[in-house]
Amino acid sequence: GFAGDGIELVGGGNHLIEGNLIGLDAASTDQGNVGNGILINNSSNNVIGGMSPPERNVISGNNSDGIEIGGAAAVGNRVLGNLIGTDQAGLLDVGNTANGVLAGSGGTIIGGANPGEGNLISGNNGNAVELSGTPATNNVVLGNRLGTDVSGALSLGNSGNGVFITSNSRSNLVGGILDGEANIIGFNAQDGISVAAANANTNNVFRGNSIFSNGDLGID
């Protein structure tokens, strides 16, 4: 319920944010911050969340992005195991007003292939994940559920795309062919994966994902 962001990391780095409710209370009632749930601005090598249930953050109901990462120095950040846009059980919509995660720099890892590393990013009023920035390069999106409930099978779609790549975003990886790397991208109101028609959006790779029941194309 703060007038700005829930948590801001500005400069420096190597911080850990885990086990918090950011934008909702213990009963999963929307108490959203006016800004982002978490803002990382020119801060590097931070970890948001973790692999075990006590380490995960629930980041929902905020009036901008759930997590926004930006600035040329914001490299090497990891977003692991969080529930972003849902209640604590991962079953109900408590969406952030904008995107679940906006990564606007380089080397961000959203999710992972190991058990517990994937995020649930659903119910948000924008995109589940947007890669857009200065440029947004060499980001990795693995093992997440984007638009489903916690089971990965039922609808809890985001109002935008599952993954949106725009504005100078290149050499990003979404999914993979090894165990645990694929994302589940379903029930989003627009595309499963959308790449804006910009000349600098090149060399992005999409592999092994399960993309279904989105409102528009699977990959646009």
Side-chain angles (χ1 to χ4, degrees):
F2 293 102
D5 302 309
I7 297 174
E8 289 186 4
L9 304 179
V10 181
N14 297 294
H15 302 294
L16 174 62
I17 300 173
E18 66 177 23
N20 302 285
L21 302 176
I22 303 173
L24 74 175
D25 63 18
S28 291
T29 303
D30 187 344
Q31 303 286 345
N33 301 289
V34 171
N36 305 289
I38 299 172
L39 173 65
I40 298 177
N41 181 12
N42 281 314
S43 183
S44 63
N45 300 312
N46 302 292
V47 177
I48 302 173
M51 297 169 63
S52 68
E55 295 173 322
R56 298 168 186 164
N57 302 288
V58 184
I59 307 167
S60 301
N62 300 286
N63 291 351
S64 188
D65 299 310
I67 301 171
E68 181 177 326
I69 302 170
V75 297
N77 293 289
R78 302 190 71 189
V79 180
L80 305 175
N82 303 286
L83 286 75
I84 304 173
T86 75
D87 68 341
Q88 295 176 64
L91 298 173
L92 299 176
D93 182 337
V94 193
N96 299 287
T97 299
N99 305 293
V101 178
L102 172 61
S105 55
T108 299
I109 299 174
I110 302 170
N114 295 314
E117 289 185 333
N119 302 280
L120 174 64
I121 310 177
S122 297
N124 299 286
N125 293 343
N127 307 296
V129 174
E130 181 173 327
L131 306 178
S132 174
T134 57
T137 59
N138 299 304
N139 298 293
V140 176
V141 182
L142 298 178
N144 303 287
R145 288 152 292 172
L146 309 178
T148 73
D149 73 348
V150 69
S151 73
L154 299 179
S155 175
L156 202 61
N158 300 281
S159 297
N161 306 283
V163 178
F164 185 41
I165 298 177
T166 183
S167 183
N168 296 312
S169 301
R170 54 185 181 266
S171 302
N172 300 292
L173 173 64
V174 179
I177 60 173
L178 300 180
D179 288 348
E181 291 184 337
N183 299 284
I184 299 173
I185 307 173
F187 305 112
N188 299 288
Q190 297 182 26
D191 298 316
I193 299 173
S194 179
V195 183
N199 290 334
N201 289 348
T202 60
N203 299 321
N204 296 294
V205 177
F206 317 127
R207 305 187 74 187
N209 302 289
S210 177
I211 306 173
F212 58 91
S213 297
N214 297 286
D216 208 332
L217 299 176
I219 300 175
D220 184 356

